[in-house]
């Protein structure tokens, strides 16, 4: 919580921080708004109201991106490298790590890396932050029930993420 008590950050053990502004407060809840101008960690997902007392947490996904949930493959045969998006804002990228036959050949094999994702309804971009990476934003306007392309905007940071592919992903 900042000194003015009008914003706070939240992070989990496996995610970078995410900042929120407190919009309003009453006896039952705090209305909060996620900041898009700072780190894009998992945060509270799409939660906009924090109840002062709750027994359960229910995750929801906007209708326009509901098809994103599930496993997407980088090859049309649906084998090999994949990324799985979960309702709770967690994603997993599975890929083959190949260091060749030299000194590090004992590190060859399938690897699964954990990350977090968030869809901004305001700018229509999907942010993905994999462990040990910065956040990358993707345009997923071509999302269908069977394909999606993670298109990097022109103002994207230099470098690429382990999840990036210029080609479509397949479900």
């Amino acid at each position: 919580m900042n000194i003015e008590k009008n914003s706070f950050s939240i992070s989990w053990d496996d995610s970078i921080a995410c900042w929120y502004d407190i919009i309003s407060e009453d006896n039952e809840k705090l209305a909060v708004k996620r900041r898009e101008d700072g780190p894009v960690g998992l945060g509270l997902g799409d939660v906009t109201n924090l109840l002062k007392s709750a027994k359960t947490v229910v995750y929801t996904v906007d209708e326009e991106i509901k098809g994103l949930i599930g496993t997407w493959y980088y090859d049309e045969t649906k084998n090999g490298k994949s990324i799985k998006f979960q309702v709770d804002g967690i994603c997993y990228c599975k890929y083959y790590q190949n260091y060749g036959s030299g000194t590090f050949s004992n590190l060859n094999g399938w690897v699964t890396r954990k990350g977090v994702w968030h869809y901004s309804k305001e700018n229509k971009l999907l942010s993905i932050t994999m462990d040990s990476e910065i956040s990358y934003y993707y345009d997923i306007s071509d999302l269908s029930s069977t394909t999606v392309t993670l298109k990097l905007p022109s103002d994207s940071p230099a470098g690429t993420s382990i999840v990036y592919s210029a080609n479509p992903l397949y479900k």
Side-chain angles (χ1 to χ4, degrees):
M1 179 85 58
N2 66 353
I3 294 171
E4 295 84 19
K5 297 191 189 265
N6 60 5
S7 66
F8 63 94
S9 71
I10 188 167
S11 65
W12 309 104
D13 290 340
D14 54 2
S15 174
I16 62 173
C18 185
W19 277 90
Y20 287 85
D21 291 320
I22 299 170
I23 306 303
S24 65
E25 179 179 5
D26 61 29
N27 290 336
E28 296 178 11
K29 68 181 184 288
L30 288 175
V32 298
K33 184 175 190 298
R34 182 185 187 113
R35 283 193 195 164
E36 298 295 334
D37 63 346
V40 187
L42 176 60
L44 300 170
D46 288 327
V47 172
T48 56
N49 289 303
L50 298 175
L51 302 178
K52 293 186 177 177
S53 173
K55 293 182 182 179
T56 61
V57 174
V58 177
Y59 295 102
T60 59
V61 176
D62 289 329
E63 262 321 300
E64 67 184 289
I65 63 158
K66 205 170 242 182
L68 183 67
I69 303 303
T71 302
W72 293 87
Y73 294 89
Y74 287 72
D75 189 296
E76 204 167 357
T77 63
K78 299 180 184 168
N79 287 315
K81 185 176 177 179
S82 65
I83 185 166
K84 178 181 180 183
F85 294 97
Q86 296 183 172
V87 176
D88 62 1
I90 302 291
C91 59
Y92 294 95
C93 183
K94 179 181 172 187
Y95 61 97
Y96 192 79
Q97 175 176 275
N98 186 350
Y99 285 104
S101 60
T103 306
F104 299 107
S105 63
N106 62 325
L107 299 175
N108 291 351
W110 286 98
V111 176
T112 301
R113 283 184 49 196
K114 187 176 184 179
V116 295
W117 69 272
H118 177 262
Y119 181 73
S120 170
K121 290 186 278 187
E122 291 176 18
N123 62 17
K124 305 285 188 200
L125 293 176
L126 174 73
S127 71
I128 301 175
T129 309
M130 298 304 292
D131 286 348
S132 303
E133 290 188 352
I134 63 171
S135 299
Y136 286 92
Y137 294 85
Y138 302 95
D139 173 351
I140 58 167
S141 57
D142 69 343
L143 174 64
S144 75
S145 60
T146 57
T147 62
V148 67
T149 304
L150 302 174
K151 293 179 246 165
L152 286 167
S154 58
D155 61 348
S156 181
T160 57
S161 168
I162 189 70
V163 302
Y164 175 70
S165 171
N167 300 316
L169 305 182
Y170 304 91
K171 197 172 197 182

